[in-house]
Amino acid sequence: MVRAVTPDTFSFMVLGYAVILGTMAAYTISLMLRSRRINIELRMLEDAQARERESQTR
Amino acid sequence: MAEDRSPTVLRIDGGREAGIRRYFRAISAIVWKDLAAELRSRELMSAMLVFALLVILIFNFALELSVRSVETVTSGVLWVTFVFAGTLGLGRSMAIEKDRGCLDGLLLVPVDRSALYFGKLLGNLIFMLVVEAIVLPLYSLLFSVNLFDPRLLLVILLGSVGYSAVGTLLASMAVQTRTRDMLLPILLFPIVLPVVVAAVKASNAIQQSLEMATIWPWLNLLIAFDVIFVAAAFMLFDFVVEE
Amino acid sequence: MAAGDANRSMEPMPILLKVLSGFSVALFSVALYMVWFYAPREVVMGEVQRVFYFHVAAGWVGALAFLVTAIAGAIYLLREESRWDLLALSSVEIGVVFILINIVSGSIWAKPIWGTWWTWDPRLITATIMELIYIAYLMLRQGIDDPRRRARFGAVYGIAGFISVPITFLSIRLLRTIHPLVFGGEGGSLAGSFNMEPPMFLTFMISLLAFTFVFVTLLWHRYRLQLRAEQLEQTKMKLLLE
């Protein structure tokens, strides 16, 4: 019985998982960055609002 | 007899009948409005026609079409031409509505919104069919192929119905965006693809005069897609024109 | 800055979301371990067959995401509550990312097995069309300024797209396919198909489960992000009007 030799496709497996995990990581990081930027902006705006309110009451 | 006993019931029935008649009158009014405007200006048809001929001309050079080689690619060339010319027509016909404020006027008419949809659908379909009716004989003349097969005409009709059904819905969305004409093909092509695939395949099978057994599945598919798309677009159209 | 300061404008992350995030990461790690070390090597294709587990799972997440978009869109059209629109948008974004993963990883798997990066096979075409439809969805939204119109059009296009995808597949399926059918069928003799041994099947199921959890977690985070983005817009508008 002739048995075909299993081909060496290890590098393609590594490439595949590099792309899969890399894309998922990139998306997660983009979510975190966007979230942080929005938080910073929100905080700045609300501080500005609070300061304005303070100055008006004085 | 029933008149004196239950006048309310009669009035409701009469109302419904008048409503249906009004519905169809609204559809035909929209279609006539589009056709009359087009007969006066001839903007849309002439642009679509010239564009269609240019597409065929480019194909002629790109694919080195000759009388001998044309058989195998005819259905593809024809459908690409129809699809491109159709996009041009759809975008323009909805842009006119939007720019002249016709849409807002039509929305005030106390008739179901779907009448507006079917009116525009019929108008767009007629424009597309007229262009096709001119392109087809011209194409068979230029490349000496016989395209006058009633089955082929049926396929072209069915394909155009599906294409206009989706196109009318998406064009009325596209004209209300900032990017307008640029956006329409991007929105339309991926969604209408199944109709185009089935139409090209059916046309191809007829063109190569295969037996009906290979043509029927595509024809059935085309009919099913038409029904699905008309029904879906009809239901969704309400939300597109609502203001 | 006081800790309470940050909570003034932002709701703190719900406990459930924290637990869910942790669980998803853990389950994902388990799935990854199983794929690499537990599942046996496939004899005919070799190591590259391991791409299969996450490749299919990513495709599943993409389809699930677009289903969520269509349903959320339909609910939005019925109720006109903006949160359903935010959910639909969040889901589309995640779906686009995962279908991209699906397409690229599939292409990498195809190269050593079919000998080409790309074939015009029904499933490949359908996945690509799906990606294009939802990229168009995002472009449509970008072109509209009025938020309510944006939400309505997004819902309409999300539903129309979801109706179109299965029939696109059906219409292209009528042509012959060379894609392996994972669960039996007539695909047994095609290049790239294989018999799934029990450990492989278990790994596959765990991968699907892990990706489903990852999807729900990401969707929730993305939705919260969108909520805050809206809040930011509104605050800005308020400041401008004052």
Side-chain angles (χ1 to χ4, degrees), chain C residues 36-99:
Chain C
W36 280 344
F37 304 108
Y38 171 74
R41 192 183 60 173
E42 210 276 330
V43 184
V44 181
M45 288 184 269
E47 299 291 351
V48 76
Q49 180 270 337
R50 294 181 198 277
V51 168
F52 150 81
Y53 303 106
F54 279 22
H55 161 72
V56 176
W60 151 251
V61 166
L64 185 65
F66 298 143
L67 173 68
V68 169
T69 300
I71 292 173
I75 299 177
Y76 175 82
L77 290 181
L78 293 175
R79 300 212 187 144
E80 299 236 337
E81 294 165 351
S82 72
R83 57 193 169 128
W84 294 105
D85 179 52
L86 303 187
L87 184 66
L89 172 63
S90 310
S91 198
V92 163
E93 202 184 275
I94 296 171
V96 166
V97 170
F98 276 84
I99 290 297

Side-chain angles (χ1 to χ4, degrees), chain B residues 185-232:
Chain B
I186 295 175
L187 293 179
L188 178 56
F189 290 171
I191 288 197
V192 85
L193 191 79
V195 172
V196 179
V197 170
V200 170
K201 284 291 154 190
S203 314
N204 211 20
I206 293 167
Q207 186 64 49
Q208 303 189 329
S209 38
L210 301 173
E211 319 110 58
M212 272 321 267
T214 48
I215 301 170
W216 265 120
W218 293 110
L219 216 54
N220 287 336
L221 214 58
L222 202 50
I223 294 168
F225 291 168
D226 280 1
V227 172
I228 293 170
F229 277 133
V230 169

Side-chain angles (χ1 to χ4, degrees), chain B residues 121-183:
Chain B
L121 166 56
L122 272 179
N124 291 332
L125 181 62
I126 290 171
F127 289 145
M128 207 168 156
L129 290 178
V130 171
V131 170
E132 288 163 354
I134 300 173
V135 166
L136 274 180
L138 216 55
Y139 188 94
S140 29
L141 193 93
L142 289 174
F143 297 105
S144 311
V145 279
N146 183 21
L147 296 172
F148 291 96
D149 185 326
R151 293 172 304 172
L152 185 64
L153 299 184
L154 176 69
V155 167
I156 290 176
L157 174 68
L158 288 173
S160 306
V161 168
Y163 186 79
S164 316
V166 186
T168 304
L169 175 76
L170 297 184
S172 44
M173 291 208 300
V175 291
Q176 296 181 61
T177 65
R178 239 185 297 117
T179 32
R180 274 202 168 183
D181 302 335
M182 209 174 68
L183 202 55

